[in-house]
Amino acid sequence: MRIIAAAAAALIVSAASYSDTSTYPQPLADALTLGYDAPDDAVWRFTMRVSMNDDAMELRFDGAQADGEEWTLISPASPDSLSGELADMWVDMNTPDDDDDGDEGRSISVGSGGGLFFTSETARMIAGNVERTSGGGYTFSPDLDPESDEADAMAEHLSGELSLASAGHVDRIRIFAPSSFKPNPAARVHEFEMVMDFQRFEGLPAPVMTSMSTVVDVSALFQRQQQSVRFDFSDVEYVEP
């Protein structure tokens, strides 16, 4: 099961190298150890609201169902009422995965691997140059996929911000472009932002993602494309095998 989101966001979540957290301030170093990698056969159930530009749909996910049958549309009442982009997303979500389809670079997986948990992979996004802010949060350099030329071209233009909850876990990660930039001569990124929010729930082994949003505004080949996507997760259930 996949959810198609902004292509630039996928450059961020594929970090591959570990950073040395021993030099980080102790509260942050401790928070980055609170991840949990869920086993592949764990069962997730949750409600998700997808807001894309000015449209929205609400769905229920049940990981115990067969691949391609996990999603139930709650709102609107019929898929025929979905707009073009959301309709395409609905079709993709109900299409069984194909590991050879070559789409991994533009998709975000939810309900598989680490699922909605804060994971070690998430922690690796905080790659270095960590500094405490006057407001009690942290700034950092994001970690990008070292094997991606696109990610490498974006890396020097992105910044990161992070905050901790009073309970000690990471509750928000924001990765963004402070200003417009050209990752290559043929394109310009006018705006890029990804925000992930996490919350602790009793009985679960790690913080759970409760929302993720991306804003992308890009010009390329004399065309400008803008997209704003937000995923909100609620009524989360998790069953360990």
Side-chain angles (χ1 to χ4, degrees), residues 62 68 92 137 152 162-163 209 215 230:
D62 184 349
D92 184 75
D152 187 58
L162 178 151
S163 61
M209 183 192 297
V215 177
R230 179 181 174 91

Side-chain angles (χ1 to χ4, degrees), residues 43-56:
V43 174
W44 287 91
R45 296 183 180 92
F46 53 82
T47 299
M48 182 178 75
R49 178 178 174 82
V50 184
S51 304
M52 179 177 289
N53 298 329
D54 295 326
D55 296 312

Side-chain angles (χ1 to χ4, degrees), residues 59-71:
L59 313 102
R60 183 68 182 171
F61 177 79
D62 184 349
Q65 302 303 310
D67 188 20
E69 300 178 4
E70 304 104 320
W71 292 99

Side-chain angles (χ1 to χ4, degrees), residues 164-178:
L164 302 182
S166 58
H169 66 272
V170 173
D171 71 347
R172 169 166 285 200
I173 297 173
R174 177 180 179 237
I175 296 174
F176 64 100

Side-chain angles (χ1 to χ4, degrees), residues 150 152-154 156-157 177 179-190 218-221:
E150 290 179 280
D152 187 58
M154 290 184 66
E156 61 181 296
H157 303 284
S179 59
S180 170
F181 66 93
K182 290 178 71 67
N184 61 63
R188 174 172 290 279
V189 177
H190 302 279
V218 180
S219 293
L221 302 176

Side-chain angles (χ1 to χ4, degrees), residues 36-44 63-65 111-115 238-241:
Y36 183 73
D37 295 306
D40 291 340
D41 51 353
V43 174
W44 287 91
Q65 302 303 310
S112 61
Y238 173 76
V239 181
E240 192 94 355

